[in-house]
Amino acid sequence: MASFYRKWRSKMEFGLFTLPVLICVAVAFYIPFVMTVRYSLTKWNGISKHPKFIGLDNFKQIFTGDANFTNAAWFTVKYAVLYIVLINVLAILLALVLDAKLKSKTWLRAAFFIPYILSLVIVGFIWKFIFMQGFESLGNSTGWHIFKMSWLGEPGLAFISVLFVSIWQSIGFYLVIYIAGLQSVPGDLKEAAVVDGAGPVRRFFSVTLPLLAPSITIAVFMALTNSIKVFDVILSLTGGGPGGTTYSVAYDIYRDTFTNNLYGYGTAKALILFVAVLIITVIQLTIFKRREVEA
Amino acid sequence: MSSTNKAARWVGEVVMVLLSLVFLYPLFLAIFNSFKSFQEVMSDVIALPKHWTFDNYTYVWNFINYPRLFLNNTIITVLGLAGIVLVSSIAAYKLARTKSRLSGIVYFICIMPMLIPFQSIMLTVLKTARFLHLSDSTWGLGLLYWGFGAPLAVFIYHGFVKGIPKELDESAMIDGASGFGLFFRIIFPLLKSVTATIVIIDVMWIWNDFLLPLLMVNGSPTTKTLTLAAYTFVGQYTSDWQYAMTAMVMAVLPSIVVFMFLQKYIVKGVVAGAVKG
């Protein structure tokens, strides 16, 4: 009897402790997610009371004849690959410099981190101002051609601008991860390599880089998940232009749902984004695990 | 040898400081231009203001009702954080201490949403919030963050609780403490350093968040957040760059001030959060 009471009591306690978080997560994620799955099978303008059930038609249309989605997907893939490669290479290089014994180390780390604490929407607006007004002044005073190009007005350049501004905003975050990684590289290993006669380049590739592997995995993972969802900076920097060349998948979904009132259709795209993120994350985690075993 | 080494180090030092100033130049430019008149912005963007003026600041301050929005941001962030910390820490503690199938399933349910991109559910989150009367309200938005912040917080707390010896719970139970009393008096104080990490990551996120506030509290000028107000403000004054830059500076200033004071902890928090997350 006493043990029955104790069991019942511990079950009650388990419920009391975990129910609040389950309710919160259900409201924020699970209920909306189930609704998303349901709406993705309907044609709905958001106004009529009863969305019309059309089965998988939305998905068929997305995969066969939606130039917007194809372009947005292509943009997102290109952006994600370049973002991941560039931000990691740059952050590692910068971290190597800032790991050296510089007197201004504290200031430098803070300086590179500051853009990361600002909202991406605002960063986008500040850069829009610089590309549009600031570059004109810089062009006039220096006469350099680079400032006279239309950085937000030409498709190829607008892509570079979006990429550049995103990297500028978040490099401090990756820098911090790599500096933390470098500090855990034991000093005697580097010294041993010096004694063995390895030059700085050889030392970097044979000693530092392999020991940095855990940091690289984390940083690549973060860069991947963040770049697939790129949205805020595009909204304020280019607004998707010129001529719709800088639409990301996330932005395309936003536009279909909230601007074009294609609620059912936009939701179907949202579901595709989720599946893509899921697959990519699982692949990433598998590689992550394999690495951990080796280390 | 050592003197050339020293010289090289000084050159490196100077180069890096210059590089960091170039890196931050866009922010300086935004600040300078917020002190210029419209004519001065138009005539030369890169020059320092010839006549420093605070007119832009008084104009934007009144137009967007800055104190009100600042209060909104504070309410949303504090309410959101309090809930995330409370709800996630008690759940993570119980889940880490209970070894059962159910516990494993509940833990999975809690952290699984980390894989769901917000854009995939943004429309239906809005509908759910409307149904629960949480939309168009500062407090409602704060409450919504409890769920959005929970997965990462549960994950980080869970990992940490596993490192706290179980004997501590048992000895407290012998002394007569149990349930919430045991958690809040014995365990929660031990979680201080993780709580700090979670608070720092979530403050930066909630304070600057854009899409969720855009969907939830954009309807009325009194419920907006700072970032949201800056966004709509620029939409109305596209070519009045002096106002736009002032609104930007005013929106980001609180983050920068907080960063100055908490710099050390922010960097630590980011590392801890990134490594665990």
Side-chain angles (χ1 to χ4, degrees), chain B residues 145-168:
Chain B
Y145 280 109
W146 295 24
F148 285 109
L152 181 66
V154 168
F155 184 71
I156 298 179
Y157 272 127
H158 191 268
F160 196 84
V161 170
K162 280 192 285 190
I164 299 174
K166 225 176 171 171
E167 288 74 31
L168 222 65

Side-chain angles (χ1 to χ4, degrees), chain A residues 125-126 129, chain B residues 30 33-34 241-250:
Chain A
F125 274 131
I126 292 177
F129 172 65
Chain B
N33 281 284
S34 71
W241 285 109
Q242 80 284 14
Y243 290 148
M245 281 311 110
T246 310
M248 298 303 132
V249 172
M250 286 169 77

Side-chain angles (χ1 to χ4, degrees), chain A residues 246-268:
Chain A
T246 55
Y247 276 106
S248 66
V249 171
Y251 198 94
D252 187 44
I253 294 169
Y254 177 82
R255 188 182 48 161
D256 270 357
T257 349
F258 293 105
T259 316
N260 303 341
N261 288 336
L262 298 166
Y263 284 66
Y265 192 63
T267 314

Side-chain angles (χ1 to χ4, degrees), chain B residues 11-44:
Chain B
V11 170
E13 191 108 29
V14 170
V15 167
M16 282 313 290
V17 171
L18 284 178
L19 185 67
S20 71
L21 290 175
V22 170
F23 185 80
L24 288 180
Y25 181 61
L27 294 180
F28 297 136
L29 218 55
I31 294 169
F32 291 152
N33 281 284
S34 71
F35 289 106
K36 289 180 187 172
S37 67
F38 176 70
Q39 284 77 16
E40 231 187 297
V41 172
M42 283 303 120
S43 64
D44 195 353

Side-chain angles (χ1 to χ4, degrees), chain A residues 87-119:
Chain A
I87 204 153
N88 282 290
V89 170
L90 290 172
I92 291 177
L93 290 177
L94 209 51
L96 285 172
V97 176
L98 293 190
D99 192 46
K101 292 183 191 70
L102 293 174
K103 282 205 179 64
S104 49
K105 205 158 60 176
T106 322
W107 148 261
L108 291 172
R109 286 179 193 179
F112 286 108
F113 194 76
I114 280 178
Y116 185 69
I117 60 171
L118 312 180
S119 148

Side-chain angles (χ1 to χ4, degrees), chain A residues 9-10 13-14 16-18 20-22 24-25 27-33 35-36 39 44 94 97-98 101-122 125-130 132-134 136-138 141 168 171 173 176-177 180 218 221-222 229-232 235-236 250 253-254 257-258 263 267 270-271 273-274 277-278 281, chain B residues 9-10 12-13 16-17 19-21 23-27 29-30 33 41-42 44-46 87-88 90-91 93-95 98 102-103 106 108-110 112-113 115-128 132 144 146-148 150-151 154 178-180 183 204 208 210-211 214-215 227 230-231 234 241 245 248 251-252 255-256 259 263 266-267 270-271 274-275 277:
Chain A
R9 202 193 129 95
S10 89
E13 216 177 271
F14 183 81
L16 271 177
F17 276 72
T18 56
V21 87
L22 286 174
C24 294
V25 175
V27 169
F29 291 104
Y30 288 102
I31 295 170
F33 186 72
M35 287 165 75
T36 296
Y39 283 136
W44 186 38
L94 209 51
V97 176
L98 293 190
K101 292 183 191 70
L102 293 174
K103 282 205 179 64
S104 49
K105 205 158 60 176
T106 322
W107 148 261
L108 291 172
R109 286 179 193 179
F112 286 108
F113 194 76
I114 280 178
Y116 185 69
I117 60 171
L118 312 180
S119 148
L120 258 173
V121 174
I122 289 182
F125 274 131
I126 292 177
W127 273 99
K128 189 177 178 180
F129 172 65
I130 290 165
M132 290 173 71
Q133 310 298 130
E136 198 186 296
S137 294
L138 284 169
S141 60
W168 179 81
I171 191 155
F173 174 80
V176 164
I177 295 181
I218 294 156
F221 179 73
M222 305 292 283
K229 294 182 277 185
V230 56
F231 172 82
D232 302 31
L235 182 75
S236 56
I253 294 169
Y254 177 82
T257 349
F258 293 105
Y263 284 66
T267 314
L271 210 57
L273 175 68
F274 165 68
V277 170
L278 191 70
T281 316
Chain B
R9 192 164 286 172
W10 270 106
E13 191 108 29
M16 282 313 290
V17 171
L19 185 67
S20 71
L21 290 175
F23 185 80
L24 288 180
Y25 181 61
L27 294 180
L29 218 55
N33 281 284
V41 172
M42 283 303 120
D44 195 353
V45 170
I46 53 171
V87 163
S88 306
I90 57 168
Y93 162 69
K94 204 65 189 177
L95 291 170
T98 316
L102 179 68
S103 169
V106 172
F108 181 76
I109 290 175
C110 286
M112 172 67 191
L115 297 182
I116 303 179
F118 180 70
Q119 283 93 353
S120 295
I121 52 169
M122 60 186 170
L123 168 70
T124 45
V125 163
L126 178 62
K127 282 190 71 80
T128 312
L132 296 170
L144 271 181
W146 295 24
F148 285 109
V154 168
S178 72
F180 289 107
F183 175 77
M204 296 201 309
N208 291 322
F210 174 71
L211 196 47
L214 178 71
L215 301 179
T227 303
Y231 172 73
V234 172
W241 285 109
M245 281 311 110
M248 298 303 132
V252 301
S255 318
I256 295 186
F259 175 72
Q263 191 198 328
I266 287 178
V267 170
V270 164
V271 172
V275 172

Side-chain angles (χ1 to χ4, degrees), chain A residues 32-277:
Chain A
F33 186 72
V34 171
M35 287 165 75
T36 296
V37 174
R38 203 177 72 102
Y39 283 136
S40 70
L41 304 172
T42 64
K43 189 183 175 77
W44 186 38
N45 57 11
I47 299 159
S48 70
K49 278 250 154 65
H50 300 286
K52 194 175 143 224
F53 182 84
I54 53 163
L56 296 175
D57 283 6
N58 285 330
F59 294 96
K60 267 183 223 153
Q61 199 184 332
I62 292 167
F63 284 119
T64 52
D66 188 325
N68 285 337
F69 188 74
T70 320
N71 289 340
W74 183 227
F75 172 89
T76 309
V77 169
K78 262 198 311 190
Y79 170 87
V81 170
L82 285 170
Y83 178 83
I84 295 166
V85 172
L86 288 174
I87 204 153
N88 282 290
V89 170
L90 290 172
I92 291 177
L93 290 177
L94 209 51
L96 285 172
V97 176
L98 293 190
D99 192 46
K101 292 183 191 70
L102 293 174
K103 282 205 179 64
S104 49
K105 205 158 60 176
T106 322
W107 148 261
L108 291 172
R109 286 179 193 179
F112 286 108
F113 194 76
I114 280 178
Y116 185 69
I117 60 171
L118 312 180
S119 148
L120 258 173
V121 174
I122 289 182
V123 164
F125 274 131
I126 292 177
W127 273 99
K128 189 177 178 180
F129 172 65
I130 290 165
F131 283 130
M132 290 173 71
Q133 310 298 130
F135 271 30
E136 198 186 296
S137 294
L138 284 169
N140 290 340
S141 60
T142 58
W144 293 352
H145 176 65
I146 188 165
F147 293 124
K148 293 185 175 157
M149 286 149 82
S150 171
W151 285 95
L152 297 176
E154 270 174 48
L157 294 179
F159 176 84
I160 295 173
S161 300
V162 170
L163 188 66
F164 172 80
V165 172
S166 323
I167 290 175
W168 179 81
Q169 192 260 353
S170 54
I171 191 155
F173 174 80
Y174 298 91
L175 182 63
V176 164
I177 295 181
Y178 283 122
I179 288 177
L182 282 175
Q183 278 165 354
S184 63
V185 174
D188 47 344
L189 265 179
K190 283 187 234 169
E191 275 161 35
V194 176
V195 173
D196 289 347
V201 177
R202 181 69 202 275
R203 269 205 311 269
F204 171 73
F205 282 104
S206 309
V207 180
T208 313
L209 204 58
L211 288 167
L212 219 48
S215 306
I216 296 173
T217 319
I218 294 156
V220 168
F221 179 73
M222 305 292 283
L224 182 72
T225 46
N226 287 332
S227 57
I228 296 175
K229 294 182 277 185
V230 56
F231 172 82
D232 302 31
V233 70
I234 295 177
L235 182 75
S236 56
L237 187 65
T238 64
T245 47
T246 55
Y247 276 106
S248 66
V249 171
Y251 198 94
D252 187 44
I253 294 169
Y254 177 82
R255 188 182 48 161
D256 270 357
T257 349
F258 293 105
T259 316
N260 303 341
N261 288 336
L262 298 166
Y263 284 66
Y265 192 63
T267 314
K269 285 185 179 176
L271 210 57
I272 294 172
L273 175 68
F274 165 68
V275 173
V277 170

